[in-house]
Amino acid sequence: QSALTQPPSASGSPGQSVTISCTGTNSDVGTYDSVSWYQHHPGKAPKLMIFGVSQRPSGVPDRFSGSKSGNTASLTVSGLQAEDEADYYCSSYAGINNRVLFGGGTKLTVL
Amino acid sequence: EVQLVESGGGLVQPGRSLRLSCAASGFAFHDHALHWVRQAPGKGLEWVSSISWNSGSIGYADSVKGRFTISRDNAKNSLSLEMNSLRSDDTALYYCAKGPGMAVAKISTFDYWGQGTLVTVSS
């Protein structure tokens, strides 16, 4: 199975909002409400930001929100801050044999 | 505090084997699914394998199926990945990650990650 599709880059100025998309198929994103989003600063461990499409783990600012429509999930970062600059990855359960798919990653730049 | 510490990485020749380990602490190890995720140099994250709390449910990426074996020892709070017939495209930083619950089905949530161990496959 192919990876989920994310735009390679996204950007915004401090205080602005940016949305990153994650497109799969009706075999993964479209069927399961198991989309997660991870923030990854180079050299550090990835950090869970969103799970179950739209739920935020304790400690994640409410500036981060998730949603899904059909085969496409989205991560929105509102009120951009400098520390939000990182790589962001989506993931989805993909059914057969307990497979998980990741997106190719989106590099978020805060201008 | 949840801690996941990977070890066992290194330089290995193509076709050889390597065993990665992940030592866990700070949570009820036997109550959680565990996973391996890797990142090749300059590339994105790639799911490798998952194992449920009691080893009853296991999954592998197509790229490693038949070559890699995941296992866990709940008595020792330890996760392992036995990697055989290694290829150059297995070169990556391998992360151990914890799931929020016992199961692997319908889950793509990894709530804590280790720092990773680097595997380099080269002659």
Side-chain angles (χ1 to χ4, degrees), chain A residues 1 32 34-36 38 40 43-48 51-52 89 91-93 97-100 102-104, chain B residues 37 39 43-47 50 57-60 62 65 95 104-111 113-115:
Chain A
Q1 280 178 294
Y32 301 100
S34 67
V35 177
S36 298
Y38 302 89
H40 191 199
K44 302 186 81 173
K47 178 184 177 182
L48 177 67
F51 68 97
Y89 294 90
S91 69
S92 175
Y93 182 71
N97 295 328
N98 297 316
R99 290 173 184 167
V100 173
F102 277 97
Chain B
V37 177
Q39 184 175 32
K43 302 293 186 180
L45 299 175
E46 179 189 16
W47 171 75
S50 297
S57 186
I58 286 174
Y60 296 101
D62 287 346
K65 196 168 187 179
Y95 293 102
V104 296
K106 300 183 181 180
I107 297 292
S108 78
T109 301
F110 312 121
D111 55 4
W113 299 60
Q115 293 292 327

Side-chain angles (χ1 to χ4, degrees), chain A residues 2 7 20 37 42 65 73 80 91 96 99 102 108:
Chain A
S2 301
I20 299 171
W37 289 90
S65 62
L80 272 173
S91 69
I96 300 173
R99 290 173 184 167
F102 277 97
L108 175 60

Side-chain angles (χ1 to χ4, degrees), chain A:
Chain A
Q1 280 178 294
S2 301
L4 307 175
T5 300
Q6 296 181 234
S9 64
S11 62
S13 300
Q16 289 186 331
S17 295
V18 65
T19 297
I20 299 171
S21 62
C22 169
T23 301
T25 69
N26 54 17
S27 295
D28 38 71
V29 175
T31 294
Y32 301 100
D33 286 335
S34 67
V35 177
S36 298
W37 289 90
Y38 302 89
Q39 178 189 68
H40 191 199
H41 288 105
K44 302 186 81 173
K47 178 184 177 182
L48 177 67
M49 305 303 285
I50 296 287
F51 68 97
V53 176
S54 60
Q55 300 181 70
R56 267 189 317 275
S58 172
V60 172
D62 60 6
R63 302 185 294 103
F64 291 84
S65 62
S67 63
K68 188 183 85 166
S69 177
N71 295 337
T72 298
S74 298
L75 171 72
T76 297
V77 186
S78 305
L80 272 173
Q81 299 181 4
E83 59 262 35
D84 299 333
E85 185 162 295
D87 297 321
Y88 290 83
Y89 294 90
C90 62
S91 69
S92 175
Y93 182 71
I96 300 173
N97 295 328
N98 297 316
R99 290 173 184 167
V100 173
L101 293 177
F102 277 97
T106 298
K107 182 175 182 58
L108 175 60
T109 301
V110 180
L111 301 170

Side-chain angles (χ1 to χ4, degrees), chain B residues 18 26-27 29 54 56 61 68 76 82 88 103 110 112 114-115 118 123:
Chain B
L18 203 61
F27 64 99
F29 185 86
N54 63 351
F68 289 13
K76 296 182 178 179
E82 182 74 33
S88 58
F110 312 121
Y112 288 92
Q115 293 292 327
L118 182 62
S123 54

Side-chain angles (χ1 to χ4, degrees), chain B:
Chain B
E1 178 192 6
V2 173
Q3 286 198 326
L4 298 165
V5 180
E6 303 92 339
S7 61
L11 175 63
V12 61
Q13 293 180 328
R16 303 298 290 266
S17 298
L18 203 61
R19 185 180 182 90
L20 304 184
S21 296
C22 174
S25 61
F27 64 99
F29 185 86
H30 56 271
D31 280 344
H32 292 270
L34 297 164
H35 314 268
W36 289 101
V37 177
R38 69 185 180 183
Q39 184 175 32
K43 302 293 186 180
L45 299 175
E46 179 189 16
W47 171 75
V48 174
S49 183
S50 297
I51 186 167
S52 64
W53 68 284
N54 63 351
S55 305
S57 186
I58 286 174
Y60 296 101
D62 287 346
S63 57
V64 307
K65 196 168 187 179
R67 300 187 300 122
F68 289 13
T69 301
I70 192 172
S71 62
R72 63 188 294 163
D73 185 337
N74 285 348
K76 296 182 178 179
N77 286 9
S78 178
L79 173 71
S80 296
L81 186 69
E82 182 74 33
M83 306 186 295
N84 299 320
S85 302
L86 283 162
R87 311 184 305 221
S88 58
D89 60 358
D90 294 318
T91 294
L93 185 63
Y94 284 73
Y95 293 102
C96 166
K98 168 187 165 292
M102 292 181 167
V104 296
K106 300 183 181 180
I107 297 292
S108 78
T109 301
F110 312 121
D111 55 4
Y112 288 92
W113 299 60
Q115 293 292 327
T117 186
L118 182 62
V119 173
T120 303
V121 184
S122 175
S123 54

